[in-house]
Amino acid sequence: KVKSQFTSDQQFQMVLTQYGISLDDLREQARSNLLVKKILLPEIEVTEKALQQYYTDHKQDYEEPEQVKARHILVNSLDEAEEVKRQLDQGADFAKLASEKSTDPGSKDQGGDLGYFERGVMAPEFEEVAFSLQPGQISSPVKTNFGYHIIKVEDHKMAHSPTYDEVRDKVREDYIDQQVQE
């Protein structure tokens, strides 16, 4: 479940390394947490009123920011970027071209797939273009400190504040986790 929150296995491994833990350490932590939760669960009273109050107190935690799902091809020069764009305009497959031409090691092997991201995550020049494109659109070359990007937006989710009913199961899980921690 933790691993699924990352866009690639490489990114997941990088975060484990940053925290100085191994996959076995993470598994052991999860196992311990689950055992504690199982022991304490019968002691925790979960009422509808408590869940609704928890939701009200933590409503901002359930808000979903505007997000785009995009792919990109990163190259070193404007000439390369223009050539890639020309090939895409002639019908080349974006994912295949990303695998062949992109210099981004984090997304190259996934056909340039960056997954969903919100504002404040990518380079500002990249985000400005990505959030302005409609799904299916492909950008002209975009220059950042990393090089030149060709961006293809696959989906665009507007910001959303879910109702209690939409997130009730998640609220219940979070409430129980908080009670276990206390």
Side-chain angles (χ1 to χ4, degrees):
K1 186 175 177 182
V2 170
K3 192 174 183 179
S4 71
Q5 297 171 357
F6 296 90
T7 56
S8 69
D9 188 49
Q10 184 178 10
Q11 184 188 31
F12 175 66
Q13 292 298 330
M14 196 168 68
V15 170
L16 288 179
T17 302
Q18 285 175 341
Y19 283 98
I21 62 172
S22 69
L23 185 56
D24 289 338
D25 294 337
L26 181 63
R27 282 190 176 116
E28 186 55 36
Q29 284 178 358
R31 184 178 174 282
S32 295
N33 290 343
L34 289 170
L35 286 172
V36 168
K37 188 173 179 177
K38 189 171 186 170
I39 291 167
L40 295 177
L41 196 57
E43 306 298 319
I44 298 170
E45 184 179 349
V46 181
T47 65
E48 190 64 25
K49 183 179 179 182
L51 293 179
Q52 287 180 349
Q53 185 61 51
Y54 183 88
Y55 170 76
T56 300
D57 294 345
H58 298 89
K59 195 171 186 174
Q60 71 281 358
D61 296 343
Y62 300 99
E63 292 180 0
E64 297 170 10
E66 179 184 17
Q67 298 178 346
V68 293
K69 182 178 193 301
R71 292 181 182 272
H72 81 137
I73 300 171
L74 175 64
V75 294
N76 295 320
S77 72
L78 181 57
D79 288 342
E80 288 176 281
E82 288 174 341
E83 174 57 24
V84 166
K85 175 67 167 140
R86 188 186 62 71
Q87 290 177 32
L88 291 167
D89 288 345
Q90 292 176 350
D93 180 77
F94 196 98
K96 185 171 185 247
L97 210 52
S99 296
E100 294 169 2
K101 306 262 185 195
S102 186
T103 60
D104 178 12
S107 69
K108 177 180 182 159
D109 294 338
Q110 289 79 37
D113 189 4
L114 298 170
Y116 282 95
F117 57 90
E118 58 194 63
R119 292 182 191 274
V121 175
M122 303 292 184
E125 309 89 344
F126 186 97
E127 282 182 4
E128 184 179 332
V129 173
F131 279 88
S132 71
L133 295 172
Q134 295 299 312
Q137 283 187 308
I138 298 174
S139 74
S140 297
V142 177
K143 184 176 181 358
T144 69
N145 292 339
F146 302 102
Y148 292 86
H149 307 260
I150 303 294
I151 306 166
K152 179 180 182 182
V153 169
E154 296 189 331
D155 192 19
H156 192 142
K157 294 181 181 177
M158 298 313 288
H160 174 63
S161 295
T163 65
Y164 170 73
D165 290 334
E166 290 175 304
V167 292
R168 185 181 186 284
D169 292 341
K170 177 78 172 116
V171 169
R172 185 178 200 290
E173 184 180 315
D174 293 346
Y175 175 76
I176 290 170
D177 287 346
Q178 180 195 44
Q179 297 301 306
V180 167
Q181 290 303 314
E182 288 176 7

